[in-house]
Amino acid sequence: MIHASLKQLAQALAEKRISAVELSQLYLDRIAQLNPGLNAYITTDPQRTLAQARAADARLAAGTAGPLTGIPLAHKDIFCTAGWLTTCASKMLANFVSPYDAHVVEKLNAAGMVTLGKCNMDEFAMGSSNETSHFGPVKNPWDTRCVPGGSSGGSAAAVAARLAPIATGTDTGGSIRQPAALCNLTGIKPTYGVVSRYGMIAFASSLDQAGPMGRSAEDCALLLNGMAGFDARDSTSLERPAEDYTRSLAQPLAGLRIGLPQEFFAEGMDDGVRVAIEAALAEYRKLGATTVEINLPNTQLSVPAYYVLAPAEASSNLSRFDGVRYGHRAAEYSDLNDMYAKTRAEGFGAEVKRRILIGTYVLSHGYYDAYYLQAQKIRRLIARDFEEAFKHCDLIAGPTTPGVAFPFGAKSQDPVQMYLSDIYTISTNLAGLPGMSLPCGFSETADKALPVGLQLIGNYFDEARMLNAAHQYQQVTDWHSRIPGDMQ
Ligand code: GLN
């Protein structure tokens, strides 16, 4: 059962081969057994989980179940969940119990899904390795000496180790796609505005977007159906008719034009990654797609522009954590200013402080024009690069990350090296485009084979086509169904 797809689970539940309570219990037992070694979950609450499962069983019995009813899932701990701790992996929110649900959580609860717990992540979603969590690093189930990627590393490790059938994640610069790549998962960051950000703790509001992280494109399409939709409480939520993201899965790929950005295939990519990507592209040609070379000339500027814009927005968003209304407050202080200063000094970790300092600096009088405005202009140029590229292709393909999962500590002392993990993913967020990662092979290292992710980038609102391309590939390859040796 722990290897079943969402569709198979829904069928098993409908046919009463298993109850929602039995299914969640199966996962809760596995979490109890394996999570201490992986640290993928920050919080579990079996009472709450089982109560939700019982409610799902009632709906299944009453014949009012939908396609997601009774299916367990894990939420990244950035989503507010009523009654549960919502920590964002920060000491600042280590004691925060949300009084309300995020829009995404509310929707998935209403669909009858069962929350298994809250997943570990980089603190406030800042990082690419899950090493910045206040609750300790998450281990990659493929090699526990290595990082699972970040910031949605807990969600990725949970699904890879079969501690959840599927999970939610968020992606500001690559945080769904990069951990999906490093843990052999399929994950999609939708077009900006497709999924509501209400109740999703804000990092960089103009870039943040939630999406599913699962074991196949089909599973992701099903969860995205449950997550997407207009929400008046998010001013950037898009008012569009509801879509069925599974609708094109079965479509053949003949005639699909795949653009290969020359800048993505230049130097910087590890050999093991390159070999797997080339093989995946050959498979796509066999499926009837054609590949064309395209250019995204401003790719090199995406990381520098992001590290001005994202910290600028973060410095503003994180000003709300002042010790007054919720979260951590310093125990001793002399006056109000001292309380703010001590609370924030104690509550935030080093990477979060770094971002707040950078963000405050680039927004300050005298530097705003030189940094923030310049970065906004680059952002526009990057969006234009994609606009031009999509005149020549339907989808863009390339690596998700330059390398595979790296050992703990390998990049944590060198922020720039860490930031470069997202060199292929960040431009998508800057442009607001949808992007996804899917398993496409393994890179053999001395003593282990580690997963490689293929990235697909689509034009605005082309999620269904991307999921179609991923699904067709997953019909003829089995990379996505491989599981870590010790997790069978
Ligand atoms: N790794 C990037 C950062 O540290 C992206 C994080 C994200 O997408 N949340 O900002």
Side-chain angles (χ1 to χ4, degrees), residues 127-128 150 173-175 178 302-303 306-307 400-402 418-427:
S128 302
S175 284
Q178 188 256 10
S302 61
V303 170
Y306 173 91
Y307 279 99
T400 305
T401 55
M418 188 71 88
Y419 297 170
L420 285 171
S421 304
D422 296 315
I423 176 79
Y424 304 128
T425 49
I426 274 181
S427 50

Side-chain angles (χ1 to χ4, degrees), residues 204-225:
S205 310
S206 77
L207 301 157
D208 298 342
Q209 189 62 197
M213 301 174 73
R215 296 180 326 218
S216 68
E218 183 182 54
D219 283 2
C220 286
L222 283 165
L223 190 66
L224 187 54
N225 279 350

Side-chain angles (χ1 to χ4, degrees), residues 267-456:
E267 78 278 23
M269 197 195 320
D270 288 359
D271 287 342
V273 173
R274 187 181 296 272
V275 170
I277 299 294
E278 297 289 357
L281 295 173
E283 200 61 53
Y284 270 103
R285 290 188 201 102
K286 272 202 248 164
L287 286 166
T290 54
T291 51
V292 288
E293 279 196 355
I294 55 158
N295 284 100
L296 296 172
N298 290 297
T299 298
Q300 287 306 324
L301 296 177
S302 61
V303 170
Y306 173 91
Y307 279 99
V308 170
L309 297 173
E313 294 187 30
S315 72
S316 164
N317 274 325
L318 271 59
S319 66
R320 75 191 64 180
F321 302 108
D322 56 6
V324 175
R325 285 159 299 180
Y326 40 72
H328 179 73
R329 178 187 294 175
E332 284 168 35
Y333 43 87
S334 53
D335 57 19
L336 183 62
N337 259 325
D338 192 42
M339 193 277 280
Y340 289 152
K342 287 206 173 106
T343 294
R344 289 167 66 83
E346 293 168 10
F348 291 136
E351 184 60 28
V352 174
K353 286 178 188 157
R354 175 166 21 237
R355 307 278 178 118
I356 293 173
L357 288 173
I358 296 172
T360 309
Y361 178 82
V362 300
L363 289 175
S364 60
H365 184 71
Y367 294 106
Y368 181 89
D369 289 3
Y371 293 104
Y372 185 76
L373 268 188
Q374 279 298 105
Q376 289 290 25
K377 289 178 186 165
I378 293 170
R379 184 172 189 176
R380 182 68 217 141
L381 293 177
I382 287 169
R384 243 186 244 162
D385 282 357
F386 280 110
E387 214 175 287
E388 183 55 35
F390 280 120
K391 291 180 185 158
H392 310 284
C393 60
D394 306 308
L395 292 178
I396 293 173
T400 305
T401 55
V404 292
F406 45 90
F408 290 101
K411 300 188 184 186
S412 45
Q413 299 314 311
D414 184 350
V416 174
Q417 272 312 308
M418 188 71 88
Y419 297 170
L420 285 171
S421 304
D422 296 315
I423 176 79
Y424 304 128
T425 49
I426 274 181
S427 50
T428 320
N429 300 76
L430 290 169
L433 290 165
M436 73 182 292
S437 182
L438 60 145
C440 74
F442 289 79
S443 169
E444 313 275 342
T445 54
D447 58 341
K448 274 260 161 73
L450 290 169
V452 176
L454 174 75
Q455 184 177 206
L456 297 178

Side-chain angles (χ1 to χ4, degrees), residues 89-217:
S90 180
K91 180 177 175 187
M92 189 59 98
L93 290 175
N95 63 1
F96 176 63
V97 177
S98 172
Y100 68 96
D101 281 323
H103 182 72
V104 163
V105 173
E106 190 178 275
K107 284 197 67 154
L108 297 177
N109 283 346
M113 292 195 87
V114 178
T115 304
L116 289 170
K118 306 291 298 288
C119 283
N120 209 340
M121 53 183 281
D122 278 300
E123 185 180 5
F124 285 104
M126 298 172 190
S128 302
S129 68
N130 232 289
E131 292 169 291
T132 71
S133 168
H134 172 63
F135 300 95
V138 178
K139 297 196 176 137
N140 189 322
W142 290 90
D143 182 346
T144 50
R145 296 165 302 180
C146 291
V147 306
S151 63
S152 313
S155 300
V159 179
R162 305 308 191 242
L163 302 186
I166 195 154
T168 53
T170 63
D171 192 312
T172 304
S175 284
I176 287 177
R177 291 161 287 162
Q178 188 256 10
L182 270 43
C183 290
N184 205 46
L185 301 182
T186 306
I188 181 164
K189 176 203 97 70
T191 307
Y192 182 79
V194 161
V195 176
S196 167
R197 291 181 294 105
Y198 177 80
M200 203 175 102
I201 295 170
F203 164 11
S205 310
S206 77
L207 301 157
D208 298 342
Q209 189 62 197
M213 301 174 73
R215 296 180 326 218
S216 68

Side-chain angles (χ1 to χ4, degrees), residues 58-81:
R59 278 175 68 172
L60 284 153
T64 55
L68 296 171
T69 308
I71 296 180
L73 93 161
H75 286 298
K76 183 176 182 178
D77 208 17
I78 198 168
F79 291 99
C80 285
T81 38

